[in-house]
Amino acid sequence: ILLSACCRCLFVAKSEVEGWTLFGQGAKLYQHIFVERRRAHSMMETRNAVVERLESGHNVCIFLEGTSSGGIEVLPFRSSFIQPAIDAGAPVVPVAVTWSARSPKIDVSEDVAYWKDHVFFPHLFRHLGLRGIRANVVFCDPVDSAGANRKELAEVVRGRVVEAWKGGK
């Protein structure tokens, strides 16, 4: 939701999101891309959908960590997720997001971050009830992907995210 407020983009999300009330319907309507992580062939379908959207001029947001965390560190990036940008010749824009809370009673890694066994709607409603939460979003300079090696590109992009993430804390 935060990144959608910052820029127009399509998201790649786990297929379970497609079934979420309102969010799933809205995501399908706006042509977000869903990946079935348990189905091997789904990665190729997702890659094709991302390339198609990029070549059509859309911005596509992919969380290269491939999972959620409490936000206390930047996890390793999955280089396979960056391959569609290379295939489409699209630049990659590293983005870092940090969260903080004014109140010491709010544990950002538990109360703000959506991960572990959190259930979406109860988490969302709890989050919406919090006060004094601050988000810092840093958009780094684009990185050219043309002809790049995906593992090297993923490391360059992760390095920029880590640098911006540390600066935003």
Side-chain angles (χ1 to χ4, degrees):
I1 295 172
L2 174 66
L3 291 175
S4 291
C6 293
C7 65
R8 291 184 62 121
C9 61
L10 301 174
F11 289 88
V12 175
K14 61 184 179 179
S15 60
E16 292 87 348
V17 172
E18 195 171 9
W20 291 355
T21 306
L22 296 177
F23 280 91
Q25 294 155 341
K28 282 189 280 189
L29 178 68
Y30 286 99
Q31 299 183 326
H32 293 287
I33 302 162
F34 300 101
V35 60
E36 292 181 51
R37 296 186 290 188
R38 292 185 183 97
R39 203 170 59 98
H41 192 68
S42 181
M43 237 355 245
M44 184 55 75
E45 292 169 0
T46 301
R47 178 229 161 263
N48 293 342
V50 171
V51 169
E52 176 187 311
R53 303 302 195 290
L54 290 170
E55 289 177 341
S56 296
H58 295 282
N59 296 317
V60 178
C61 180
I62 301 175
F63 297 95
L64 297 177
E65 291 173 310
T67 190
S68 302
S69 73
I72 59 173
E73 65 179 325
V74 178
L75 301 177
F77 284 4
R78 297 178 185 259
S79 63
S80 60
F81 292 168
I82 212 164
Q83 187 64 48
I86 295 169
D87 294 344
V92 176
V93 179
V95 179
V97 178
T98 56
W99 295 88
S100 60
R102 282 195 310 244
S103 171
K105 293 180 181 180
I106 297 174
D107 179 352
V108 172
S109 69
E110 288 299 323
D111 298 323
V112 177
Y114 176 69
W115 69 308
K116 295 198 291 190
D117 60 350
H118 292 174
V119 177
F120 184 72
F121 283 107
H123 176 78
L124 175 65
F125 291 125
R126 185 177 73 239
H127 186 134
L128 292 174
L130 298 175
R131 297 293 175 252
I133 301 297
R134 178 175 177 246
N136 186 43
V137 181
V138 178
F139 289 86
C140 303
D141 291 334
V143 179
D144 186 20
S145 71
N149 171 288
R150 75 180 196 197
K151 290 183 186 288
E152 292 171 3
L153 181 59
E155 282 305 311
V156 167
V157 170
R158 183 178 182 279
R160 294 198 183 170
V161 168
V162 167
E163 184 179 318
W165 180 80
K166 287 180 180 177
K169 294 188 82 149

